[in-house]
Amino acid sequence: MPLLLEWLGCVTGLLGATLLALNNRYSGYGFMAFLASNVCWVGYGIAMESWGLVTMRLGCTATSLLGFYRWSSGVRRSNT
């Protein structure tokens, strides 16, 4: 099971990064891919007792949630 979580975390993380890098109307879905990746990595970190990894991915989950909220609510960065 840890091997599956590791590879799912890897693939969904790469998908999230690709979607955000495209910078088009679908880019916000990259945050959803990152959330899926974070869930996998947290599960992997727990299975491997890698608490630094778990802590990092929980922090990344918070930033992904913020990014998804801002994208889905239409909040945009000002140019000032």
Side-chain angles (χ1 to χ4, degrees):
M1 183 65 151
L3 183 62
L4 177 62
L5 289 173
E6 181 181 19
W7 281 104
L8 284 174
C10 176
V11 170
T12 54
L14 289 171
L15 175 63
T18 302
L19 285 168
L20 285 176
L22 290 174
N23 197 26
N24 61 26
R25 66 181 183 159
Y26 301 107
S27 291
Y29 291 108
F31 293 114
M32 297 303 289
F34 278 138
L35 287 170
S37 176
N38 293 335
V39 168
C40 292
W41 282 115
V42 166
Y44 177 81
I46 290 170
M48 298 288 110
E49 297 183 5
S50 179
W51 307 116
L53 177 64
V54 170
T55 302
M56 180 181 68
R57 298 322 295 185
L58 289 175
C60 289
T61 297
T63 62
S64 294
L65 288 170
L66 176 61
F68 181 75
Y69 166 74
R70 290 176 55 83
W71 173 74
S72 66
S73 66
V75 174
R76 299 292 183 250
R77 179 176 61 99
S78 71
N79 290 330
T80 58

